[in-house]
Amino acid sequence: MRTLISTAFISLDGVVEAPGGEPGYRNSGWTFKNVDFVPEAFEIKGREQQEAAAVLMGRVSYEAFSPVWPDMKEFDRYKTMPKYVVSTTLAQDDLVSNWGETTILRSLDQVAALKETEGGPIIVHGSASLNRSLSDAGLIDRYHLLVFPLLLGAGKRLFSATDKDAQKLKLVEHDVYANGLQKQVFDVVR
């Protein structure tokens, strides 16, 4: 069974966002506006690329990443690995041609089936709505969180607000950096 890893930049109050910012609320762009850059805090991002065998994302994140990431040297490794987009609306013609193999999955059942295949870890970037659905379905195995020392109030949330049984997590790696960022890696306990 493959490991499904959710990775996110997250504020202390649970808001997530793409590093470049997203329109629609007052604090957009918070990831690099409010915290000094400390390279060692982002080591986990490079490690994710080396360890992942596939990328999973929702339609909105695919539409944000696909015009940019294929040409970015920082994301070279992702160009060669399989990508999966969970969407009921995305068409095959909507996929970019310069980013390697991309498969559209139409349901969480297809994600569960993908996890049953042979291969290494699958990393989920962005995709706040998809993350909440994956968590509610019990499909996430690990979280890689870079927690920013900010309280933002409004914004997209990584974690579901569904009334459900408590989900226990086991802290397997952590660090704190000079700029106040915290790396927290949790395994989901089953």
Side-chain angles (χ1 to χ4, degrees):
M1 182 180 223
R2 299 173 82 169
T3 302
L4 188 62
I5 301 168
S6 171
T7 182
F9 294 151
I10 188 167
S11 68
L12 192 58
D13 59 347
V15 174
V16 292
E17 178 182 71
E22 297 178 31
Y25 66 103
R26 180 189 334 204
N27 291 309
S28 182
W30 56 267
T31 50
F32 291 115
K33 276 198 262 186
N34 296 298
V35 177
D36 292 334
F37 182 74
V38 176
E40 58 271 19
F42 298 92
E43 170 276 335
I44 193 167
K45 306 316 282 175
R47 188 166 20 122
E48 288 170 350
Q49 283 189 67
Q50 295 309 310
E51 294 174 358
V55 179
L56 178 72
M57 64 198 96
R59 179 192 52 82
V60 173
S61 291
Y62 176 80
E63 289 175 342
F65 297 155
S66 64
V68 181
W69 279 19
D71 298 323
M72 292 180 71
K73 186 167 177 45
E74 301 95 297
F75 300 108
D76 266 356
R77 173 99 165 80
Y78 287 144
K79 194 169 187 171
T80 59
M81 70 176 67
K83 283 157 287 302
Y84 298 90
V85 183
V86 181
S87 174
T88 58
T89 59
L90 196 67
Q92 198 66 36
D93 290 345
D94 297 326
L95 300 176
V96 298
S97 60
N98 64 334
W99 205 16
E101 176 189 345
T102 303
T103 303
I104 301 171
L105 304 177
R106 299 295 182 194
S107 69
L108 293 181
D109 288 340
Q110 288 184 310
V111 175
L114 173 64
K115 284 187 62 177
E116 295 295 329
T117 63
E118 292 294 318
I122 304 165
I123 192 105
V124 183
H125 282 283
S127 310
S129 296
L130 177 60
N131 264 287
R132 292 189 298 271
S133 296
L134 292 168
S135 176
D136 286 347
L139 295 173
I140 295 176
D141 301 298
R142 177 174 274 200
Y143 289 95
H144 288 185
L145 304 176
L146 278 180
V147 182
F148 285 67
L150 300 169
L151 299 174
L152 300 171
K156 291 181 184 178
R157 302 291 168 165
L158 180 66
F159 299 109
S160 173
T162 302
D163 187 8
K164 60 185 177 182
D165 291 338
Q167 177 64 70
K168 188 173 180 179
L169 305 174
K170 178 182 178 187
L171 184 65
V172 295
E173 184 180 341
H174 64 87
D175 213 335
V176 179
Y177 304 96
N179 62 357
L181 273 178
Q182 296 177 41
K183 173 178 62 180
Q184 299 177 357
V185 177
F186 292 99
D187 281 343
V188 175
V189 177
R190 293 196 173 25

